[in-house]
Structure formats: C-alpha cells, structure tokens
C-alpha cells in the first residue's frame, strides 16, 4: 500500500513530500492492522468490491488525511 500511496501523493503535493511520507505511513500502518492478510484485502476490495471493506479503508484514509492535511480524504476509487 505504501508504494501505491506515495507517488500519487507526491504528484498532488509536490512541495510537501514530508507530509506525504507521514500520511502514507499512517495509512499503511492502519491498513496492515485492519487487514493482516494482504491477499484477502485485495480480494475483498479490488475483486469483490465489498462495501464494508471499502468503507473501512475510506475511514482510515479520512482519519490519516484529517491528521496530516486537515480535511477528509477524497473518495477512494477501486
């Protein structure tokens, strides 16, 4: 998740790399806590588009975004 997070964040915020590092670390740490099995997460979110799993990821994104950027995250797209 971290490798997928950092490049788009840096692209959207080219002058705030440190915030991107902090945000992506926050997001990745929380996702790994919620979904210990990466393959299962991929199956639930990407393949099955399970509403609860996507909602959980959105909550994590919102929480980390609020902490590091001061607002809720954009809607996650899968």
């Amino acid at each position: 998740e971290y490798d997928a997070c950092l490049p788009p964040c840096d692209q959207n915020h080219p002058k705030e790399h440190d915030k991107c590092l902090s945000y992506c670390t926050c997001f990745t740490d929380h996702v790994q806590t919620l979904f210990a099995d990466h393959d299962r997460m991929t199956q639930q979110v990407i393949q099955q588009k399970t509403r609860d799993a996507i909602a959980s990821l959105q909550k994590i994104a919102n929480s980390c975004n609020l902490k590091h950027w001061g607002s809720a995250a954009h809607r996650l797209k899968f």
Side-chain angles (χ1 to χ4, degrees):
E1 291 77 26
Y2 187 84
D3 291 339
C5 176
L6 194 55
C9 185
D10 281 337
Q11 184 177 357
N12 290 333
H13 307 282
K15 295 181 181 180
E16 299 185 274
H17 180 71
D18 289 344
K19 278 188 177 183
C20 285
L21 289 172
S22 296
Y23 168 80
C24 290
T25 298
C26 177
F27 183 78
T28 301
D29 288 350
H30 284 87
V31 168
Q32 288 176 344
T33 299
L34 182 64
F35 295 99
D37 182 346
H38 184 268
D39 291 336
R40 183 160 169 76
M41 181 201 65
T42 300
Q43 181 183 23
Q44 288 180 348
V45 175
I46 305 296
Q47 296 168 355
Q48 298 172 343
K49 301 202 183 303
T50 305
R51 184 179 297 240
D52 290 343
I54 292 171
S56 294
L57 289 179
Q58 186 68 56
K59 283 182 183 179
I60 292 169
N62 288 342
S63 174
C64 292
N65 210 73
L66 186 61
K67 180 179 178 181
H68 296 286
W69 302 103
S71 63
H74 294 288
R75 184 172 175 253
L76 298 177
K77 298 175 186 175
F78 298 100

XYZ file of all heavy atoms in Angstrom:
628
model
N 0.809 -1.184 0.000
C 0.000 0.000 0.000
C 0.864 1.264 0.000
O 0.519 2.248 -0.634
C -0.939 0.027 1.212
C -2.038 -0.997 1.185
C -1.574 -2.403 1.539
O -0.582 -2.560 2.261
O -2.189 -3.354 1.041
N 1.970 1.214 0.721
C 2.835 2.390 0.814
C 3.363 2.783 -0.564
O 3.328 3.961 -0.924
C 3.990 2.109 1.783
C 4.829 3.323 2.076
C 4.445 4.225 3.056
C 5.995 3.567 1.367
C 5.199 5.348 3.327
C 6.765 4.689 1.642
C 6.366 5.574 2.615
O 7.118 6.689 2.878
N 3.823 1.801 -1.328
C 4.368 2.097 -2.660
C 3.301 2.632 -3.607
O 3.610 3.379 -4.526
C 5.020 0.854 -3.264
C 6.300 0.465 -2.532
O 6.898 1.333 -1.855
O 6.700 -0.706 -2.627
N 2.060 2.255 -3.380
C 0.963 2.769 -4.203
C 0.510 4.143 -3.722
O -0.082 4.909 -4.489
C -0.210 1.800 -4.177
N 0.789 4.473 -2.493
C 0.346 5.733 -1.895
C 1.279 6.909 -2.207
O 0.823 7.986 -2.564
C 0.246 5.557 -0.376
S -0.192 7.045 0.542
N 2.554 6.699 -2.050
C 3.500 7.815 -2.084
C 3.589 8.535 -3.433
O 3.505 9.770 -3.456
C 4.876 7.354 -1.613
C 5.867 8.461 -1.286
C 5.310 9.443 -0.257
C 7.165 7.867 -0.776
N 3.756 7.854 -4.560
C 3.873 8.599 -5.823
C 2.675 9.510 -6.140
O 2.880 10.684 -6.485
C 4.054 7.502 -6.877
C 4.674 6.371 -6.116
C 4.019 6.428 -4.756
N 1.420 9.028 -5.985
C 0.308 9.945 -6.266
C 0.248 11.115 -5.277
O -0.085 12.238 -5.653
C -0.941 9.076 -6.142
C -0.482 7.676 -6.208
C 0.943 7.667 -5.748
N 0.581 10.845 -4.020
C 0.588 11.925 -3.033
C 1.626 12.974 -3.403
O 1.340 14.171 -3.398
C 0.866 11.364 -1.640
S 0.760 12.611 -0.334
N 2.825 12.519 -3.738
C 3.875 13.462 -4.155
C 3.463 14.239 -5.401
O 3.769 15.426 -5.527
C 5.186 12.722 -4.426
C 5.938 12.383 -3.158
O 5.721 13.047 -2.119
O 6.773 11.455 -3.196
N 2.776 13.583 -6.312
C 2.330 14.257 -7.534
C 1.298 15.345 -7.201
O 1.339 16.426 -7.773
C 1.734 13.253 -8.507
C 1.338 13.865 -9.834
C 0.807 12.839 -10.809
O 0.773 11.639 -10.532
N 0.395 13.303 -11.965
N 0.391 15.033 -6.274
C -0.636 16.006 -5.895
C -0.108 17.107 -4.983
O -0.695 18.184 -4.916
C -1.803 15.294 -5.193
C -2.598 14.446 -6.136
O -2.659 14.693 -7.332
N -3.229 13.414 -5.602
N 0.970 16.823 -4.276
C 1.545 17.779 -3.304
C 3.067 17.836 -3.478
O 3.811 17.428 -2.580
C 1.199 17.353 -1.878
C -0.247 17.127 -1.638
N -1.142 18.147 -1.444
C -0.968 15.974 -1.592
C -2.352 17.644 -1.280
N -2.269 16.326 -1.368
N 3.545 18.325 -4.603
C 4.981 18.248 -4.903
C 5.898 18.979 -3.913
O 7.062 18.632 -3.792
C 5.095 18.855 -6.303
C 3.857 19.641 -6.497
C 2.798 18.998 -5.654
N 5.374 19.929 -3.186
C 6.213 20.678 -2.250
C 6.052 20.203 -0.811
O 6.597 20.813 0.104
C 5.883 22.167 -2.338
C 6.228 22.762 -3.690
C 5.927 24.222 -3.755
C 6.279 24.745 -5.153
N 6.008 26.161 -5.288
N 5.319 19.096 -0.615
C 5.045 18.638 0.744
C 5.341 17.147 0.899
O 4.539 16.397 1.440
C 3.601 18.953 1.113
C 3.333 20.453 1.068
C 1.953 20.813 1.538
O 1.018 20.789 0.724
O 1.840 21.113 2.744
N 6.513 16.750 0.449
C 6.907 15.343 0.498
C 6.879 14.786 1.919
O 6.449 13.643 2.132
C 8.301 15.175 -0.128
C 8.784 13.765 -0.113
N 8.252 12.791 -0.922
C 9.747 13.167 0.634
C 8.862 11.640 -0.682
N 9.777 11.839 0.252
N 7.297 15.574 2.908
C 7.303 15.097 4.292
C 5.895 14.746 4.774
O 5.702 13.746 5.469
C 7.927 16.130 5.231
C 9.424 16.254 5.049
O 10.034 15.351 4.423
O 9.999 17.246 5.525
N 4.910 15.563 4.396
C 3.527 15.259 4.759
C 3.058 13.992 4.052
O 2.315 13.196 4.625
C 2.593 16.417 4.409
C 2.562 17.517 5.419
C 1.461 18.497 5.067
C 1.344 19.591 6.102
N 0.237 20.507 5.795
N 3.474 13.820 2.815
C 3.111 12.600 2.082
C 3.702 11.374 2.765
O 3.025 10.346 2.897
C 3.583 12.675 0.628
S 2.584 13.773 -0.403
N 4.932 11.458 3.199
C 5.558 10.349 3.919
C 4.756 10.013 5.172
O 4.467 8.846 5.443
C 6.997 10.694 4.302
C 8.019 10.753 3.180
C 9.349 11.296 3.707
C 8.214 9.380 2.565
N 4.390 11.038 5.923
C 3.631 10.828 7.161
C 2.252 10.262 6.874
O 1.793 9.330 7.552
C 3.493 12.146 7.928
O 4.747 12.619 8.331
N 1.567 10.813 5.877
C 0.240 10.333 5.529
C 0.293 8.866 5.085
O -0.489 8.043 5.556
C -0.397 11.183 4.422
C -1.636 10.526 3.872
C -2.843 10.626 4.548
C -1.594 9.761 2.713
C -3.979 9.988 4.081
C -2.725 9.121 2.235
C -3.915 9.237 2.923
O -5.030 8.589 2.464
N 1.197 8.549 4.187
C 1.274 7.189 3.653
C 1.676 6.181 4.722
O 1.196 5.052 4.729
C 2.213 7.138 2.450
S 1.525 7.998 1.003
N 2.527 6.584 5.642
C 2.879 5.720 6.767
C 1.659 5.483 7.638
O 1.375 4.340 8.028
C 4.031 6.333 7.588
O 5.178 6.449 6.753
C 4.359 5.485 8.804
N 0.920 6.520 7.941
C -0.307 6.410 8.736
C -1.286 5.460 8.058
O -1.787 4.513 8.677
C -0.931 7.798 8.889
S -2.509 7.835 9.784
N -1.535 5.692 6.794
C -2.500 4.878 6.044
C -2.063 3.415 6.003
O -2.825 2.511 6.321
C -2.677 5.439 4.632
C -3.708 4.697 3.831
C -5.051 4.917 4.040
C -3.327 3.775 2.877
C -6.015 4.231 3.309
C -4.274 3.077 2.138
C -5.623 3.309 2.363
N -0.817 3.191 5.644
C -0.309 1.829 5.521
C -0.335 1.092 6.854
O -0.755 -0.072 6.921
C 1.123 1.841 4.949
O 1.092 2.482 3.676
C 1.671 0.442 4.783
N 0.096 1.741 7.912
C 0.093 1.108 9.232
C -1.313 0.687 9.648
O -1.518 -0.421 10.142
C 0.692 2.033 10.286
C 2.197 2.194 10.154
O 2.826 1.443 9.369
O 2.747 3.086 10.834
N -2.288 1.568 9.442
C -3.661 1.251 9.821
C -4.255 0.157 8.931
O -4.985 -0.708 9.412
C -4.527 2.509 9.788
C -4.303 3.403 10.954
N -3.319 4.360 10.968
C -4.921 3.479 12.150
C -3.340 4.990 12.115
N -4.299 4.472 12.859
N -3.952 0.183 7.656
C -4.454 -0.847 6.748
C -3.876 -2.204 7.135
O -4.597 -3.207 7.167
C -4.137 -0.510 5.273
C -4.388 -1.702 4.359
C -4.970 0.684 4.819
N -2.604 -2.248 7.450
C -1.977 -3.514 7.830
C -2.543 -4.042 9.145
O -2.613 -5.255 9.344
C -0.461 -3.360 7.907
C 0.166 -3.218 6.544
C 1.659 -2.958 6.610
O 2.210 -2.593 7.642
N 2.322 -3.138 5.486
N -2.958 -3.163 10.023
C -3.591 -3.582 11.273
C -4.981 -4.153 11.001
O -5.363 -5.180 11.562
C -3.692 -2.388 12.256
O -2.371 -1.932 12.542
C -4.388 -2.790 13.538
N -5.722 -3.491 10.130
C -7.079 -3.928 9.818
C -7.099 -5.186 8.963
O -7.906 -6.091 9.176
C -7.829 -2.804 9.098
C -9.289 -3.060 8.743
C -10.127 -3.242 10.005
C -9.835 -1.914 7.913
N -6.213 -5.240 7.980
C -6.145 -6.365 7.051
C -4.769 -7.016 7.156
O -3.856 -6.655 6.415
C -6.351 -5.901 5.606
C -7.704 -5.333 5.314
C -7.905 -3.965 5.291
C -8.771 -6.165 5.041
C -9.141 -3.439 5.005
C -10.013 -5.650 4.750
C -10.207 -4.278 4.732
N -4.624 -7.953 8.064
C -3.333 -8.620 8.244
C -2.958 -9.438 7.009
O -1.781 -9.618 6.712
C -3.376 -9.523 9.472
N -3.947 -9.882 6.271
C -3.723 -10.681 5.066
C -3.941 -9.810 3.827
O -5.078 -9.482 3.472
C -4.677 -11.878 5.070
C -4.493 -12.801 3.876
O -3.824 -12.421 2.898
O -5.041 -13.914 3.920
N -2.856 -9.406 3.181
C -2.928 -8.514 2.029
C -3.738 -9.119 0.883
O -4.517 -8.415 0.234
C -1.515 -8.160 1.540
C -1.513 -7.182 0.423
N -1.514 -7.554 -0.896
C -1.525 -5.831 0.434
C -1.528 -6.488 -1.663
N -1.538 -5.426 -0.874
N -3.579 -10.409 0.639
C -4.326 -11.056 -0.440
C -5.825 -11.018 -0.173
O -6.617 -10.799 -1.088
C -3.866 -12.502 -0.635
C -2.451 -12.583 -1.202
O -2.013 -11.613 -1.857
O -1.798 -13.614 -0.979
N -6.216 -11.215 1.067
C -7.639 -11.153 1.422
C -8.188 -9.748 1.227
O -9.290 -9.556 0.742
C -7.850 -11.622 2.850
C -9.303 -11.653 3.268
C -9.483 -12.570 4.468
N -10.782 -12.452 5.080
C -11.901 -12.963 4.581
N -11.871 -13.611 3.438
N -13.047 -12.817 5.207
N -7.398 -8.747 1.615
C -7.826 -7.363 1.416
C -8.020 -7.087 -0.068
O -9.023 -6.510 -0.477
C -6.815 -6.374 1.991
C -7.283 -4.934 1.805
S -5.987 -3.687 1.876
C -5.017 -4.061 0.471
N -7.063 -7.514 -0.879
C -7.160 -7.307 -2.319
C -8.411 -7.975 -2.869
O -9.135 -7.388 -3.676
C -5.898 -7.862 -3.024
O -4.759 -7.174 -2.518
C -5.983 -7.677 -4.524
N -8.674 -9.168 -2.409
C -9.862 -9.887 -2.865
C -11.135 -9.134 -2.471
O -12.021 -8.934 -3.298
C -9.882 -11.298 -2.272
C -11.076 -12.116 -2.709
C -11.097 -13.485 -2.043
O -10.513 -13.681 -0.983
N -11.772 -14.417 -2.666
N -11.221 -8.693 -1.228
C -12.420 -8.016 -0.744
C -12.619 -6.650 -1.385
O -13.749 -6.269 -1.694
C -12.368 -7.848 0.776
C -12.552 -9.128 1.538
C -12.498 -8.911 3.039
O -12.107 -7.845 3.525
N -12.875 -9.926 3.789
N -11.536 -5.917 -1.573
C -11.648 -4.544 -2.051
C -11.627 -4.450 -3.573
O -12.502 -3.830 -4.181
C -10.530 -3.668 -1.431
C -10.546 -2.272 -2.014
C -10.682 -3.613 0.080
N -10.656 -5.054 -4.195
C -10.474 -4.915 -5.642
C -11.395 -5.850 -6.424
O -12.068 -5.423 -7.363
C -9.004 -5.181 -6.040
C -8.047 -4.285 -5.252
C -8.811 -5.026 -7.547
C -8.186 -2.814 -5.500
N -11.426 -7.104 -6.044
C -12.172 -8.087 -6.824
C -13.659 -8.101 -6.479
O -14.505 -8.028 -7.363
C -11.565 -9.480 -6.632
C -10.148 -9.573 -7.151
C -9.434 -10.848 -6.710
O -9.949 -11.636 -5.943
N -8.223 -11.030 -7.220
N -13.969 -8.195 -5.185
C -15.372 -8.316 -4.771
C -16.042 -6.970 -4.509
O -17.258 -6.892 -4.437
C -15.468 -9.185 -3.513
C -14.986 -10.593 -3.709
C -14.906 -11.364 -2.400
O -14.907 -10.807 -1.299
N -14.821 -12.681 -2.507
N -15.227 -5.954 -4.335
C -15.728 -4.606 -4.013
C -16.710 -4.640 -2.828
O -17.794 -4.071 -2.870
C -16.353 -3.955 -5.236
C -15.370 -3.836 -6.387
C -15.763 -2.784 -7.358
C -14.836 -2.708 -8.550
N -13.456 -2.492 -8.323
N -16.265 -5.323 -1.773
C -17.067 -5.466 -0.564
C -17.245 -4.099 0.098
O -16.267 -3.426 0.428
C -16.384 -6.446 0.418
O -16.143 -7.673 -0.265
C -17.224 -6.682 1.644
N -18.492 -3.733 0.265
C -18.831 -2.397 0.795
C -18.177 -2.122 2.148
O -17.634 -1.039 2.374
C -20.341 -2.260 0.891
C -20.809 -0.891 1.330
C -22.315 -0.851 1.374
N -22.830 -1.074 0.029
C -23.589 -0.207 -0.629
N -23.925 0.918 -0.051
N -24.016 -0.474 -1.834
N -18.225 -3.088 3.059
C -17.659 -2.889 4.403
C -16.152 -2.693 4.357
O -15.608 -1.846 5.075
C -17.998 -4.065 5.315
C -19.473 -4.119 5.688
O -20.186 -3.099 5.515
O -19.909 -5.184 6.144
N -15.461 -3.468 3.529
C -14.004 -3.341 3.421
C -13.629 -1.983 2.836
O -12.700 -1.320 3.330
C -13.436 -4.464 2.567
N -14.340 -1.559 1.819
C -14.072 -0.252 1.206
C -14.371 0.871 2.195
O -13.601 1.827 2.316
C -14.857 -0.089 -0.104
C -14.306 -1.064 -1.147
C -14.805 1.351 -0.603
C -15.123 -1.167 -2.418
N -15.464 0.746 2.934
C -15.809 1.754 3.944
C -14.731 1.838 5.023
O -14.389 2.933 5.476
C -17.166 1.438 4.564
N -14.175 0.700 5.401
C -13.100 0.689 6.400
C -11.865 1.413 5.874
O -11.238 2.191 6.599
C -12.743 -0.745 6.787
O -13.811 -1.360 7.447
N -11.510 1.161 4.629
C -10.367 1.855 4.036
C -10.624 3.357 3.936
O -9.725 4.168 4.171
C -10.045 1.285 2.656
C -9.434 -0.100 2.623
C -9.190 -0.526 1.178
C -8.136 -0.158 3.414
N -11.849 3.727 3.594
C -12.183 5.148 3.497
C -12.061 5.822 4.854
O -11.563 6.939 4.954
C -13.594 5.332 2.934
C -13.955 6.789 2.658
C -13.148 7.390 1.520
O -13.147 6.854 0.422
N -12.456 8.482 1.772
N -12.490 5.133 5.922
C -12.357 5.691 7.269
C -10.893 5.911 7.621
O -10.536 6.926 8.220
C -13.002 4.767 8.304
C -14.498 4.839 8.333
C -15.055 3.935 9.422
C -16.556 3.947 9.418
N -17.114 3.063 10.447
N -10.058 4.954 7.257
C -8.624 5.104 7.521
C -8.066 6.291 6.738
O -7.341 7.119 7.287
C -7.862 3.810 7.159
C -8.247 2.682 8.110
C -6.351 4.045 7.176
C -7.747 1.311 7.685
N -8.407 6.371 5.472
C -7.928 7.480 4.640
C -8.398 8.812 5.206
O -7.622 9.775 5.290
C -8.399 7.311 3.195
N -9.659 8.885 5.620
C -10.186 10.128 6.193
C -9.455 10.516 7.468
O -9.093 11.680 7.660
C -11.681 9.999 6.472
C -12.520 9.986 5.219
O -12.078 10.387 4.145
N -13.742 9.509 5.346
N -9.230 9.534 8.337
C -8.551 9.796 9.600
C -7.122 10.291 9.382
O -6.698 11.291 9.968
C -8.547 8.523 10.444
O -7.784 8.687 11.604
N -6.382 9.590 8.528
C -4.995 9.992 8.258
C -4.938 11.325 7.522
O -4.072 12.157 7.798
C -4.281 8.903 7.465
S -4.008 7.382 8.415
N -5.863 11.524 6.598
C -5.885 12.779 5.849
C -6.194 13.955 6.773
O -5.565 15.012 6.687
C -6.925 12.699 4.724
C -6.551 13.552 3.545
O -5.637 13.196 2.809
N -7.228 14.665 3.362
N -7.161 13.763 7.662
C -7.508 14.811 8.615
C -6.315 15.146 9.510
O -6.019 16.322 9.750
C -8.700 14.361 9.463
C -9.280 15.386 10.424
C -9.792 16.604 9.662
C -10.408 14.768 11.230
N -5.619 14.126 9.943
C -4.457 14.314 10.817
C -3.331 15.077 10.115
O -2.691 15.939 10.706
C -3.948 12.947 11.285
C -2.757 12.998 12.193
C -2.347 11.599 12.621
C -1.118 11.631 13.501
N -0.705 10.275 13.887
N -3.092 14.762 8.849
C -1.927 15.336 8.161
C -2.249 16.487 7.215
O -1.364 17.288 6.919
C -1.179 14.226 7.411
C -0.617 13.204 8.338
N 0.490 13.429 9.118
C -1.037 11.957 8.664
C 0.737 12.374 9.865
N -0.176 11.467 9.610
N -3.480 16.577 6.732
C -3.834 17.625 5.770
C -4.949 18.532 6.262
O -5.221 19.560 5.660
C -4.232 17.019 4.421
C -3.163 16.177 3.827
C -3.112 14.817 3.817
C -1.970 16.614 3.182
N -1.953 14.390 3.196
C -1.242 15.478 2.797
C -1.448 17.867 2.879
C -0.027 15.541 2.134
C -0.228 17.943 2.219
C 0.467 16.788 1.857
N -5.658 18.117 7.327
C -6.688 18.970 7.904
C -8.076 18.821 7.298
O -8.958 19.621 7.587
N -8.280 17.812 6.468
C -9.607 17.585 5.876
C -9.772 16.100 5.563
O -8.808 15.350 5.542
C -9.776 18.407 4.596
O -8.837 17.997 3.618
N -11.003 15.716 5.290
C -11.274 14.325 4.919
C -10.640 14.030 3.559
O -10.415 14.930 2.749
C -12.773 14.068 4.863
N -10.370 12.768 3.332
C -9.772 12.341 2.061
C -10.818 12.360 0.952
O -12.024 12.301 1.205
C -9.210 10.925 2.208
N -10.342 12.429 -0.268
C -11.229 12.251 -1.407
C -11.758 10.824 -1.382
O -11.159 9.933 -0.776
C -10.473 12.486 -2.724
C -10.024 13.890 -2.909
N -10.885 14.917 -3.189
C -8.782 14.439 -2.837
C -10.201 16.040 -3.286
N -8.919 15.778 -3.070
N -12.843 10.602 -2.057
C -13.424 9.260 -2.123
C -12.428 8.325 -2.807
O -11.911 8.627 -3.882
C -14.721 9.298 -2.923
C -15.439 7.988 -2.961
C -16.812 8.155 -3.599
N -17.440 6.860 -3.730
C -17.579 6.236 -4.886
N -17.152 6.788 -6.002
N -18.139 5.053 -4.931
N -12.166 7.196 -2.153
C -11.245 6.213 -2.715
C -11.908 5.538 -3.923
O -13.101 5.269 -3.901
C -10.880 5.153 -1.672
C -10.162 5.669 -0.421
C -9.942 4.530 0.552
C -8.847 6.319 -0.785
N -11.109 5.274 -4.935
C -11.622 4.622 -6.135
C -10.908 3.292 -6.334
O -9.690 3.222 -6.249
C -11.382 5.508 -7.358
C -12.089 6.832 -7.280
C -11.735 7.724 -8.450
C -12.336 9.090 -8.274
N -11.935 10.015 -9.317
N -11.713 2.262 -6.608
C -11.159 0.930 -6.820
C -11.706 0.343 -8.098
O -12.800 0.519 -8.466
C -11.483 -0.006 -5.654
C -10.885 0.470 -4.359
C -11.640 1.134 -3.429
C -9.545 0.268 -4.096
C -11.089 1.577 -2.240
C -8.976 0.707 -2.915
C -9.754 1.367 -1.984
